Amino acid sequence: MLLVAAEITQVVSCIVMIATVVSFQKATLVKLPRIIRLWWISSFFQSVICITFRIHSAIQHDELIGVDECIDLLGLLTCASLFLVSIRGKTGISFTKSSDTVTEPLLQPSTEKPSERERKSPYGKASLPQLVTFAWLNPLFVLGKQKPLDQTEIPDVDIKDCAQFTSHSFDNYLTSVKEKYGLQNSPIYRTIFIFIRKKAAINACFAVVTASASYVGPSLINSFVKFLAGSRDSGLKTGYFLALAFLSAKFVETLTQRQWIFGARQLGLRLRAALISHIYRKGIRLSNHSRQTHTSGEIINYMSVDIQRITDVMWYANIVWMLPVQVSLAIYVLHKNLGLGAFAGLAATFLIMSCNIPLTRIQKRFQSKIMEAKDGRMKATSEVLKSMKILKLQAWDTQYLHKLEALRHIEYGWLWKSLRLQALSAFIFWGAPTFISVVTFGACILMGIPLTAGRVLSALATFRMLQDPIFSLPDLLSALAQAKVSADRIALYLQEEEIKSDAVEVIPRNETEFDIEIDRGIFSWDADMKSPTLSDVQFTVKRGMKVAICGSVGSGKSSLLSSVLGEIPKLGGTVKVSGSKAYVPQTPWILTGNIQENILFGNPYDSEKYEKTVQGCALVKDFELFASGDLTEIGERGINMSGGQKQRIQIARAVYQDADIYLLDDPFSAVDAHTGSQLFKVILLLLDDPFSAVDAHTGSQLFKDCLMGILKDKTILYVTHQVEFLPAADLILVMQNGRIAQAGKFDELLSQNIGFEVLVGAHSQALESIFNAENSSRASQADDRRPTKSSSNDVPNDEENTENTQFQSIEKQESQQSLPEDIADRGRLTQDEEREKGSIGKEVYWTYLTAIRRGALVPVIITAKEVYWTYLTAIRRGALVPVIITAQSLFQMLQVGSNYWMAWASPTTSASKPTVGMSLLFLVYILLSVGSALCVLVRAMLLAIAGLLTSQKFFNDMLHCIMRAPMSFFDSTPTGRILNRASTDQSVLDLEIAGRLGWCAFSIIQILGTIGVMSQVAWPVFALFVPVTAICIWYQQYYIPTARELARLSGIQRAPILHHFAESLSGAATIRAFGQEGRFTKANLILIDNHSRPWFHNISAMEWLSFRLNVLSNFVFAFSLILLVSLPEGFINPSIAGLAVTYGLSLNSQLASIIWNICNAENKMISVERIKQYSRIKSEAPLVIEECRLPNEWPETGTICFENLQVRYAEHLPSVLKNITCTIPGKKKVGVVGRTGSGKSTLIQALFRIVEPREGTIVIDDVDICKIGLHDLRSRLSIIPQDPTMFDGTVRGNLDPLKQYTDNRIWEVLNKCQLGELIRQNEKKLDSTVVENGENWSVGQRQLFCLGRALLKRSSILVLDEATASIDSATDGIIQETIRQEFADCTVVTIAHRIHTVIDSDLILVLSDGRIIEYDTPAKLLEKEESAFSKLIKEYSLRTQNSVIDTKDSGYKH
């Protein structure tokens, strides 16, 4: 009666529960009521307890498993589902606020392009069933099947996965760790542990359940074999119960395995976002000394390679928890079947695992060496890419190509050692199960433990399960070693010194009348130097003052500005600043983007303020000439802008900030006289010689309209070498040897006669040469033609208007080079990264597999000192591939054969007669096992060799193609894209691709062996494989289009992170000065999320596929078990049937492994595809043409003939130079002048064949330069560029990278370019250090080094492109005299903004609109008052005398 009541109560409770669930939708409940959650949790535990007692009772009393027990098992599954729902606590129902309609999320996926607002994360809204089955991805697969996915169509990541959330959490944990534990040890490890521990613990639980469930099968095999052998007293029910137990365990394993793998990847995503954001913020706060310690290439490696290795270990970490569980369960199962023999297996297992200790140590050392070598290569690659133009102009590209190849060779050697060790590890651990089984079975034979078929098969199944942790152990240890090395590198980086926030004391503006106060300041870039960079610095600047800073090269002018900014380390004294700052560095820092974005710099757009700024900075005419005005895109580092345009843009950026204090570092030397004057009058800010890159006209305009106009009420500190801008200052600081030698107003300093007059005197001499030339040409007409002040201002403006109309078209052409004709893309120089669409072509796979040619050189490194090269003449295209597959096939056949032999030869029961003797059984098994292990060794070694050789082939092809690419490629391609391929994609080729492709073949071979064994016993299984395989292929075809595009987008979105970081590093001082760290950090977080979105959905898609394939394989396994149980007794050999079940246990993992490996390999092949893209770039003309080689003394006279020369930048654009016809006589000095956009730079580029002529010829000493090799041409010409470039290394290496000259010759040149004494003061002399970009030398000193290169080379033709713009007048005078003396018998072509540098030329070439408008001697041109050159001279002299600075003539004639 009680039993009936209990059943009725249970039925009623079920009805109530169903009614309650139905009511959820009507009540629009989002969360489950607590009473329901408690009810379902209690029901689950009750069901577990009841079913456990029932089964235990049935086993103890040998009772049959009845219908009731089966119903209880089904009920347990239902209760388990409800238990998981109650843990989650949500109903899965959502509703909108705009209506009362309840909707299920993601039912109607839209194929339209979603907006930013509509890209909400489906993962965050998914119900429990959707999370378990990954069905929340279905809408994305529908969209991906219809069309290739775009970045905007990928949903956002969940809030807990977004970069802002993870970065904030990581920072909070780091702060608490520092507060609690201090900084005695690196806090990064403890912070990472706290950051990941909760999610990692959940993943660990899933992993442990997976490991436990995987051993249910091996523990039941012995019982299953006994059942098949005749123990059917209880009928078929026991067999079906065993089959159900097998299937239930596999189902639990599938669920938990997918969850822990997905969870580990998700955790890696969160950690990567947190670390990248932390590294970025550290990068823009690094001190100068720390910045020199860690180069851009190294820091890019931290972001691209090291962080990837740390996040990878999140997946491998779960193996750490699974391993002891797997080993313990394996020993338990073995002990249950083999008794004491299990302990022999345990000892063998521990012996194998102990081999990991020395292997791991060696592998860790190899990984450290690999990363060191990669850092060196990436550092050099980054430097080469940034300086590619100067390398081509100097014909050093081949030398630096060899340097990169040498660095790669070092990396290659360590890679080969590492891969060889991995191959040895693979041999040991692939053979480990065989070794363990031999030891275990041998011990059983010695101890007399009978080996029946059931026991043997159970042991073999256990060994196969044990194979997984042993197989993964080498990868685990390798990953741990790599992660430890990477974590140490990042921890060291994150501990580096930062800019001291307290170096500058900020005073509220209402508390002081001084904007800047420095009291007894002592500053030094290097604390270890004997003498500080600046000492005894003491001055105050009242609000609104204009302070000029001048001095010779290297005197400390820029360092003085850095002391106000807080950039240079302060050793003593105090620095007080009151008000916001704006900074204009000497070397222009321009962000990739359009001009307007650079000027606004994060501030809101104010049309009136913007127009006023643009006008004051002389940018109006430039905007009129650009294809898209101020929306024209600027290439990387402003590569498509002239030096003057870049300088004016960053001055406009500073002006628009409306700061209180302006610091300018010589910004007006890059603009012409008129514009420089305008800017000066409008701005006057804290500048670091911002006028150095502008010509005289533009410089005057900038000075007049900007410094003295817009910024007339601002406090301004400006560094300048142009004496004409000094009299306007309220205070002039004269720097000498790191001290303020003089301070006062212009007239006061002149009267002191202690050094300042030297600078002014040198400038006066330069002006005197102009006045003399002008006066001598017009002596007879001087009185009649002397212009009045009013008329003089009109002349240049009239000329300017005339010439502007002349050169408008050429500027438009230059700004449109490489631009598409689509209106939407006008003004774009840098196009979106090339992205293949659709499936990866067969030619990509074929190219990779057949990359190794006959005669490939393979380094077999025996020791660190001995490198032997083995010449493999047997290797033809792809010849190793069939050998590797054959070796793996032999391994599989021998392994199956050894297991088949043990199953067939072992007796079914202890009472049965053995088929063969134990000695023979064991001997054959050992021979087969050893043979299979040797096959693994051969396969592993050949795979390592083939993979590394192929990787090297791809690297060489890409490197040679990039180094031979034309400059137009580098102008339109951000270096981040190239570095991404050279770093991340190359690492994939070095270490992953070969293994991924190999595993595709290996998994297919494995499953063929499994199908063969299972089909031999139950042939209908083979028939079932046909539709199952078809379904698998359909799933793969459905999955691939979406996953492939996600992987491609993930790779593309990685480059902007690196590019943005590289840009931020180079402009960190400007970012800090403007207080923009927060905005740039936010931009970095957005870029991280842009990468996380495709990456997260890609790994989710992989789990989506794996889950479905696992379910399919479980179905096949269930069918096989039911078939074996249902067959009549004696119909099959129980031993062979047991072997089939043994192999069937791994069927789900094998089937999933095939598809997973194929899909993963295709994703990884995208790296091959991306590298291949950069291996087919159109090359420049040949470096050397053998039939047109020239004698060593060419050119002798240096005569240059331009004949009908026409040049254009792209096929669809008109000519930039038009019908240039002239002859530059040999051994003459020719000055080239013209306004911005007149074609001066294009003419020089054509001379060096940076741009190839469209029509016409350039003939040097009767040789058409288009018919000779580029190296022969460029190596015979010399150039001193406007932007000085230095390379990481030594002084000697920078002057003579080809090692062609003696030390005495180098010292002689250093003395001539005013650097000898400075170098001698350094202990290392010619080996003095030059850091990346030459940042430990001033810009002026770098320009002198470039002059030294030209003096060493002593070519017959020298081109000067405003070579002394960043040098003071006194030094400039000495350098000009040196050039006159050293190159007296050479042809010198000078492009100059400072007129006095070309006034003494033999000929003057005036360009406008790409045409020659004047070409004659200076004297003859000056005789014509209406000539363009005459007006330019008049403009320069008027600006100097009285149009810009209201000062007395005596001030200049002192």
Side-chain angles (χ1 to χ4, degrees), residues 1121-1302:
L1121 289 173
I1122 293 172
L1123 184 65
L1124 292 174
V1125 170
S1126 304
L1127 289 175
E1129 184 177 351
F1131 187 82
I1132 57 173
N1133 186 335
S1135 301
I1136 305 303
L1139 181 65
V1141 175
T1142 301
Y1143 275 83
L1145 286 172
S1146 59
L1147 182 64
N1148 65 331
S1149 60
Q1150 289 180 359
L1151 187 59
S1153 177
I1154 290 178
I1155 305 300
W1156 188 86
N1157 281 317
I1158 290 174
C1159 296
N1160 199 26
E1162 180 156 5
N1163 289 344
K1164 295 296 182 183
M1165 284 300 290
I1166 292 172
S1167 291
V1168 177
E1169 183 182 70
R1170 284 160 55 80
I1171 288 180
K1172 188 182 175 186
Q1173 286 173 352
Y1174 279 17
S1175 300
R1176 57 189 184 207
I1177 305 167
K1178 185 179 179 181
S1179 178
E1180 284 185 308
L1183 291 177
V1184 175
I1185 300 176
E1186 290 298 336
E1187 56 269 22
C1188 298
R1189 297 305 299 269
L1190 300 169
N1192 293 331
E1193 58 273 11
W1194 182 90
E1196 293 184 23
T1197 59
T1199 301
I1200 306 172
C1201 297
F1202 297 96
E1203 183 67 33
N1204 193 30
L1205 179 66
Q1206 297 188 42
V1207 174
R1208 62 183 178 187
Y1209 286 108
E1211 290 297 324
H1212 65 280
L1213 295 176
S1215 297
V1216 177
L1217 293 181
K1218 306 166 186 175
N1219 301 317
I1220 299 292
T1221 301
C1222 67
T1223 298
I1224 297 177
K1227 301 182 181 181
K1228 296 292 184 182
K1229 310 296 181 290
V1230 177
V1232 181
V1233 296
R1235 305 255 187 228
T1236 299
S1238 59
K1240 303 186 299 294
S1241 297
T1242 306
L1243 184 68
I1244 299 304
Q1245 292 185 57
L1247 182 62
F1248 283 82
R1249 289 179 65 190
I1250 298 296
V1251 180
E1252 294 286 350
R1254 174 192 176 192
E1255 289 183 18
T1257 59
I1258 304 175
V1259 177
I1260 299 178
D1261 283 3
D1262 302 324
V1263 175
D1264 186 347
I1265 64 170
C1266 292
K1267 295 181 180 179
I1268 62 176
L1270 291 179
H1271 190 272
D1272 284 343
L1273 169 67
R1274 294 168 181 170
S1275 62
R1276 310 299 177 88
L1277 309 178
S1278 292
I1279 184 171
I1280 305 177
Q1282 181 177 354
D1283 296 326
T1285 302
M1286 294 187 73
F1287 301 92
D1288 183 72
T1290 64
V1291 168
R1292 179 191 281 107
N1294 270 273
L1295 289 172
D1296 181 26
L1298 304 183
K1299 301 178 181 179
Q1300 296 175 319
Y1301 306 101
T1302 63

Side-chain angles (χ1 to χ4, degrees), residues 52 161 216 240 269 382 384 493 553 608 733 850 1042 1138 1309 1325:
T52 302
D161 298 324
V216 173
Y240 290 133
L269 170 75
S382 177
V384 165
Y493 166 75
V553 172
E608 183 179 352
L733 302 178
T850 60
T1042 301
V1309 165
K1325 301 295 189 294

Side-chain angles (χ1 to χ4, degrees), residues 683-853:
I683 342 180
L684 240 90
L685 38 134
L686 185 47
L687 308 178
D688 190 354
D689 206 5
F691 310 131
S692 60
V694 294
D695 59 60
H697 171 78
T698 311
S700 284
Q701 186 180 359
L702 286 170
F703 192 91
K704 173 183 175 183
D705 295 344
C706 203
L707 258 68
M708 307 305 292
I710 296 177
L711 304 179
K712 61 182 179 180
D713 298 324
K714 304 292 186 179
T715 300
I716 302 173
L717 274 69
Y718 63 99
V719 172
T720 184
H721 289 128
Q722 292 167 274
V723 175
E724 58 267 32
F725 295 141
L726 295 179
D730 301 311
L731 175 67
I732 300 173
L733 302 178
V734 182
M735 300 298 299
Q736 185 175 352
N737 298 326
R739 298 172 181 268
I740 300 178
Q742 292 176 269
K745 290 192 174 183
F746 190 83
D747 293 336
E748 296 172 359
L749 296 179
L750 281 176
S751 63
Q752 292 177 9
N753 289 326
I754 56 173
F756 180 68
E757 73 283 350
V758 176
L759 297 174
V760 178
H763 180 68
S764 300
Q765 291 176 7
L767 291 177
E768 189 176 345
S769 65
I770 296 176
F771 298 148
N772 290 339
E774 186 179 12
N775 293 332
S776 63
S777 300
R778 306 176 186 176
S780 61
Q781 307 172 25
D783 294 334
D784 297 332
R785 298 186 181 182
R786 185 179 302 277
T788 64
K789 182 172 182 178
S790 59
S791 65
S792 67
N793 287 331
D794 294 334
V795 173
N797 289 336
D798 292 341
E799 175 61 23
E800 179 186 338
N801 294 334
T802 304
E803 292 199 18
N804 281 338
T805 59
Q806 289 178 333
F807 65 75
Q808 279 182 5
S809 60
I810 180 173
E811 183 65 22
K812 287 181 179 178
Q813 294 166 28
E814 290 185 338
S815 66
Q816 286 176 342
Q817 61 164 309
S818 303
L819 304 182
E821 302 204 320
D822 184 7
I823 299 298
D825 283 339
R826 279 194 321 164
R828 293 196 68 190
L829 176 70
T830 304
Q831 299 301 308
D832 292 334
E833 184 168 358
E834 181 182 358
R835 169 191 164 196
E836 304 288 348
K837 292 192 176 182
S839 61
I840 295 178
K842 294 179 182 177
E843 67 276 5
V844 177
Y845 288 94
W846 183 250
T847 301
Y848 181 83
L849 293 174
T850 60
I852 308 175
R853 297 171 180 263

Side-chain angles (χ1 to χ4, degrees), residues 523 525 533-534 549-568 583-587 663-667 686-690 692 717-721 733 735 738 1069 1335 1337-1342 1366:
F523 308 90
W525 290 113
T533 307
L534 297 175
I549 304 170
C550 61
S552 59
V553 172
S555 59
K557 302 182 296 297
S558 297
S559 296
L560 186 62
L561 293 189
S562 296
S563 69
V564 178
L565 290 169
E567 294 291 322
I568 183 171
Y583 173 58
V584 178
Q586 187 172 6
T587 302
L663 303 123
L664 296 87
D665 197 350
D666 196 14
L686 185 47
L687 308 178
D688 190 354
D689 206 5
S692 60
L717 274 69
Y718 63 99
V719 172
T720 184
H721 289 128
L733 302 178
M735 300 298 299
E1335 290 180 358
W1337 301 86
S1338 73
V1339 177
Q1341 289 167 340
R1342 287 179 236 169
S1366 298

